[in-house]
Amino acid sequence: IYQEIETCMAIQEDKESAHQFQKGIAHVHTTFSHDGEISLKRLAAICRAGKIDFALISEHVQDANEKKFAQLIKDADRLSRNGTLLVPGLEYEGEQNVHLLAYGITSFIDPKKKLSKIAEQVHKNGGLNVIAHPKRNGYIVPHDLLRFVNGIEVWNTKIDGSFAPNA
């Protein structure tokens, strides 16, 4: 049994040394969105100063169109060259007040589509789908959407409080 414990400990040490953790922020709106408070350039500077490795940007789709989103992608790429990876994305609202954060998308996806079709397209193109502030809609995720979901936001300061999530 001691040999097995030593082997497990050695495997665990190898796993820990092989993983490098990244520090990031998600569900960030800039002045691209109607409720954003800082520019993308300012966000990049704040992230660099705070040694944040990445920022997952989720601009409101109703404030976007193909041309504006293409510009956001270009700006995020340009500003990412200085230390913090800025990952552009859009926040979609669908049936049952479900909000979907589509990260890493490379083109504008029509918000008139059903949310599960948007998520499927994001998934096919290598992006990530995250359900945003699920408390807002009673933690309901439609079944046809669930198979494309990569994550669920567990704490949103605007919905759940600034210092600790509301239970």
Side-chain angles (χ1 to χ4, degrees):
I1 185 111
Y2 292 110
Q3 182 64 34
E4 290 175 9
I5 292 172
E6 286 178 27
T7 302
C8 288
M9 289 173 63
I11 291 170
Q12 185 62 33
E13 286 174 12
D14 285 346
K15 283 183 182 177
E16 289 174 2
S17 64
H19 295 302
Q20 179 181 356
F21 289 96
Q22 301 286 309
K23 182 168 55 168
I25 57 175
H27 198 160
V28 180
H29 300 293
T30 69
T31 51
F32 182 98
S33 288
H34 63 273
D35 61 349
E37 296 177 7
I38 61 172
S39 69
L40 187 62
K41 185 175 182 179
R42 180 78 179 119
L43 172 65
I46 290 169
C47 288
R48 278 194 306 279
K51 298 187 183 343
I52 293 173
D53 300 302
F54 65 89
L56 302 177
I57 301 160
S58 49
E59 304 297 2
H60 292 286
V61 72
Q62 66 263 34
D63 298 322
N65 59 40
E66 262 185 79
K67 186 176 179 180
K68 285 177 72 175
F69 189 64
Q71 187 62 51
L72 176 69
I73 291 170
K74 286 179 187 174
D75 292 346
D77 182 54
R78 179 178 45 81
L79 291 166
S80 289
R81 296 180 190 148
N82 296 324
T84 297
L85 176 64
L86 301 174
V87 180
L90 292 169
E91 180 173 358
Y92 291 86
E93 183 176 348
E95 52 280 349
Q96 298 175 307
N97 199 27
V98 173
H99 286 217
L100 179 74
L101 307 175
Y103 294 125
I105 55 178
T106 56
S107 61
F108 185 75
I109 301 170
D110 184 359
K112 294 177 185 144
K113 290 183 176 184
K114 189 173 179 188
L115 210 53
S116 61
K117 294 295 182 188
I118 292 168
E120 181 178 16
Q121 189 172 342
V122 170
H123 181 76
K124 283 181 180 177
N125 292 326
L128 296 174
N129 292 300
V130 176
I131 300 297
H133 33 70
K135 180 181 181 182
R136 181 183 269 179
N137 69 325
Y139 302 97
I140 296 169
V141 180
H143 290 288
D144 61 341
L145 175 62
L146 197 54
R147 67 187 178 139
F148 301 112
V149 171
N150 300 98
I152 298 176
E153 181 179 67
V154 294
W155 183 12
N156 180 298
T157 58
K158 286 187 178 180
I159 304 295
D160 299 310
S162 296
F163 300 106
N166 295 328

